[in-house]
Amino acid sequence: MTESVDISAKFDRSARLQRRLHELVPGGAHTYARGPDQYPEHMTPILTHGDGAHVWDVDGNRYVEYGMGLRSVTLGHGYRPVAEAVTEAVRRGTNFSRPTLLEVEAAEDFLSLVPGADMVKFAKNGSDATTAAVRLARAATGRDHIAVCDHPFFSVDDWFIGTTPMSAGIPESSRSLTLRFRYNDLASLDAALTSHPVACVVLEAATATAEPAPGFLEGVRRLCDRHDALMVLDEMITGFRWSERGAQSVYGVRPDLSCWGKAMGNGFPISALAGRREYMELGGLGTDAERVFLLSTTHGPETASLAAFRAVVRAYETERPIERMEAAGTRLATAVNALSAEMGLDEYVRVEGRPSCLVFSTRGPDGVPSQEYRTLFLSELLDRGVLGQSFVVSAAHTDDDIDLTVAAVDAALVVYRKAIDAGSVRGLLRGRPVAPALRRFATPRRLP
C-alpha cells in the first residue's frame, strides 16, 4: 500500500477539474491513454494550451511535454505554417456537399509520398482506416479470419479490441475470427495462415522498441502471397516519424494496403487508407464486383485537416523534422542512460527505442517492470516540469528542453535510488500507482 497525502496546491485546480471530468466523461478523459489512471494520482494536469514543445495547465504550471498528442504532433504545438493554412481554409468554409480542390491536391500530395499506393481515401481516425482495410480485405478474398500481430493497438473496433482484456460487449463470434501471431516470428504467422483461410495480415513494420529482424518483412510478404492474404501495414506511428514516406520506404516492403494517421496533420484529425488500385477500386465506381462500403464520413474531407496535412507535407520538404527529432532523441537517450549508469540504475531505468519515438523502462528491485516505480519516476518528473508517459520528442524540442529534462531525470534518479535501496516505494509515492490502460476492471484505480 502507498501512503495517502493531501493534494498539492500545485495541482489544486487540475484536481478539481479532473473530479468534474469523472462526473461528465466515463474514465475522466476521451482517450484511455490520456486517462488520469495513466498518471500519478493527484498529479493529473488539465492543460490549457501549448507552444512548441511546451504546455501549460490550469494551475499555471509549465512543462516540457513528451508523447506530443499520442505521437500525433511532430512539428510542435501551434506550428505556425500549419495554423495559418488551417485558418485560411476555415475562412473559406469547412464542409460542403461536393468534393473540394483540396481533396484533389491532398490526395496528389499523399500519393507522391507513397509510390507503392495507387489510391487513397481520407478519414478522421486510425480505427476507421484500419477497420476499412480489414473490411476491404475480407471482401476481396471472401474470407472472414484475419491475422493480427501482437502489437499494442490497432483499432477501437471489435476485430481488435475483442483480443484485449477490455473485450466486454464483443461477441465471441467476432473475437474468434481474429488470429494472433508474434512479431519477428514467421513460424507463428505461418501457423496462423495455415490454421484458417485468412483475409489479411495486419502489423506495424516496426515499433518504438522493436526493429524487423533481417528477412522478417520480406517473409511476411512471401507468406501473404503464398496464402493469398492481403498484407496490411499500420503506419499510424511510423508514418511521418520514421519517414514521411512511411516505414515501408525505410524497410523496402510494399504492402497491399496501408493505414495512416497521427502526425499526418500535426495534431489535426486526419487519417488515410491507401493501397493498390485493384483493391481500393472495390469501394469505388470502376468495378463490376459487389461494392465495398469502404470509408464514407461526413468529416473525412473537411478542409481544415486537409489543409493541415498539405502544410505538414511542405514542412517535411523544407524543415527536415525527422532529422531534428532523431538528433533530439539521441541527445536525450544518451544523457539519461549515462546518468542512470552513473547511479548504478541502468538495470532499472533505461531509455530505449528509435530516437524519434523513445520510451523509458522502469523496473523494481527484482528487475521486473513495475507500475509503482513507473509512477514514482513520473511524479518526480512532473514535479520538475516534465510531462509525458514516454520520451517521444518533436522537432520543436530544443537543446534547452533536453537539458531541462536531463536535469529533472538527474534529480528523479536520486529518489529512485532510495526506493531501489529500500526495496519499496513506501513513503515516496503519492497516491496509487498507474495502471494499464486496457485492463478488464477499473481496479486498481477505481474511483473512491
Side-chain angles (χ1 to χ4, degrees):
M1 294 288 293
T2 57
E3 296 181 355
S4 61
V5 297
D6 293 333
I7 297 174
S8 167
K10 184 175 182 180
F11 299 99
D12 184 56
R13 192 175 176 203
S14 284
R16 292 199 305 271
L17 286 169
Q18 185 60 72
R19 289 194 294 272
R20 181 59 175 151
L21 272 169
H22 279 301
E23 296 171 353
L24 301 170
V25 179
H30 288 285
T31 315
Y32 285 115
R34 290 184 171 101
D37 56 349
Q38 303 304 291
Y39 290 86
E41 197 168 25
H42 314 314
M43 301 177 77
T44 52
I46 304 299
L47 304 181
T48 59
H49 66 289
D51 182 21
H54 302 143
V55 294
W56 286 259
D57 69 15
V58 293
D59 293 287
N61 301 309
R62 176 180 182 263
Y63 307 92
V64 176
E65 188 194 30
Y66 293 92
M68 303 302 291
L70 306 184
R71 301 183 179 94
S72 69
V73 176
T74 55
L75 301 172
H77 299 299
Y79 179 72
R80 188 170 298 277
V82 170
E84 290 174 348
V86 168
T87 300
E88 178 60 24
V90 170
R91 284 198 190 103
R92 296 165 62 89
T94 57
N95 219 320
F96 305 94
S97 57
R98 281 284 294 149
T100 64
L101 176 61
L102 266 173
E103 293 178 55
V104 179
E105 294 170 333
E108 288 176 339
D109 281 348
F110 182 92
L111 294 173
S112 72
L113 291 176
V114 189
D118 302 315
M119 303 182 82
V120 63
K121 199 154 191 183
F122 296 118
K124 276 284 163 281
N125 64 72
S127 293
D128 283 352
T130 54
T131 293
V134 168
R135 184 185 306 118
L136 185 56
R138 283 172 165 163
T141 62
R143 301 169 177 177
D144 295 333
H145 285 85
I146 59 174
V148 177
C149 193
D150 59 355
H151 290 144
F153 192 84
F154 287 107
S155 175
V156 302
D157 294 308
D158 289 3
W159 64 269
F160 175 74
I161 289 297
T163 70
T164 75
M166 291 184 72
S167 60
I170 299 173
E172 173 59 28
S173 58
S174 177
R175 297 200 301 269
S176 66
L177 296 176
T178 300
L179 312 174
R180 301 306 296 263
F181 70 96
R182 294 179 296 277
Y183 186 69
N184 275 337
D185 186 343
L186 289 174
S188 69
L189 175 58
D190 193 26
L193 292 171
T194 302
S195 67
H196 296 85
V198 166
C200 62
V201 172
V202 183
L203 77 161
E204 295 178 87
T207 68
T209 58
E211 288 285 313
F216 173 67
L217 292 176
E218 295 86 348
V220 173
R221 179 72 269 178
R222 284 195 303 271
L223 285 171
C224 287
D225 292 341
R226 183 184 306 164
H227 291 272
D228 296 320
L230 273 63
M231 183 179 181
V232 178
L233 209 57
D234 183 324
E235 295 267 20
M236 295 296 161
I237 293 172
T238 53
F240 292 87
R241 273 198 183 274
W242 270 239
S243 167
E244 65 270 33
R245 300 178 183 277
Q248 56 196 274
S249 70
V250 173
Y251 303 113
V253 62
R254 183 186 181 188
D256 298 299
L257 302 171
S258 57
C259 306
W260 303 66
K262 290 194 182 287
M264 278 182 71
N266 198 49
F268 279 86
I270 184 169
S271 63
L273 170 65
R276 298 176 186 261
R277 186 176 304 277
E278 63 188 284
Y279 301 121
M280 295 291 287
E281 192 60 77
L282 293 175
L285 296 175
T287 180
D288 293 321
E290 186 176 355
R291 295 178 70 206
V292 178
F293 193 93
L294 191 54
L295 278 169
S296 181
T297 59
T298 298
H299 299 294
E302 56 84 17
T303 60
S305 293
L306 293 179
F309 166 66
R310 297 204 72 216
V312 167
V313 173
R314 301 289 87 79
Y316 273 72
E317 291 173 348
T318 59
E319 300 295 322
R320 298 176 8 191
I322 291 176
E323 290 182 31
R324 288 158 57 192
M325 286 189 286
E326 295 276 339
T330 298
R331 192 167 184 267
L332 177 59
T334 300
V336 170
N337 287 336
L339 284 174
S340 187
E342 287 171 14
M343 298 192 66
L345 290 170
D346 47 324
E347 295 182 10
Y348 307 102
V349 178
R350 185 162 187 83
V351 179
E352 303 169 310
R354 197 175 187 91
S356 63
C357 200
L358 295 172
V359 297
F360 49 76
S361 59
T362 47
R363 300 176 185 273
D366 57 1
V368 175
S370 167
Q371 299 284 36
E372 289 186 340
Y373 280 79
R374 174 178 172 80
T375 308
L376 179 64
F377 189 63
L378 289 172
S379 63
E380 294 300 319
L381 292 182
L382 272 165
D383 262 350
R384 293 168 177 83
V386 176
L387 171 68
Q389 301 160 294
S390 67
F391 280 149
V392 173
V393 297
S394 74
H397 282 79
T398 65
D399 286 349
D400 287 345
D401 296 325
I402 302 302
D403 290 345
L404 183 152
T405 304
V406 172
V409 170
D410 194 7
L413 290 178
V414 172
V415 180
Y416 206 100
R417 179 77 261 178
K418 291 179 182 178
I420 290 293
D421 291 343
S424 170
V425 298
R426 185 173 179 82
L428 298 172
L429 192 62
R430 291 159 281 189
R432 296 175 292 179
V434 299
L438 298 181
R439 61 187 190 276
R440 190 174 181 187
F441 296 104
T443 54
R445 287 289 292 269
R446 191 191 187 284
L447 293 179

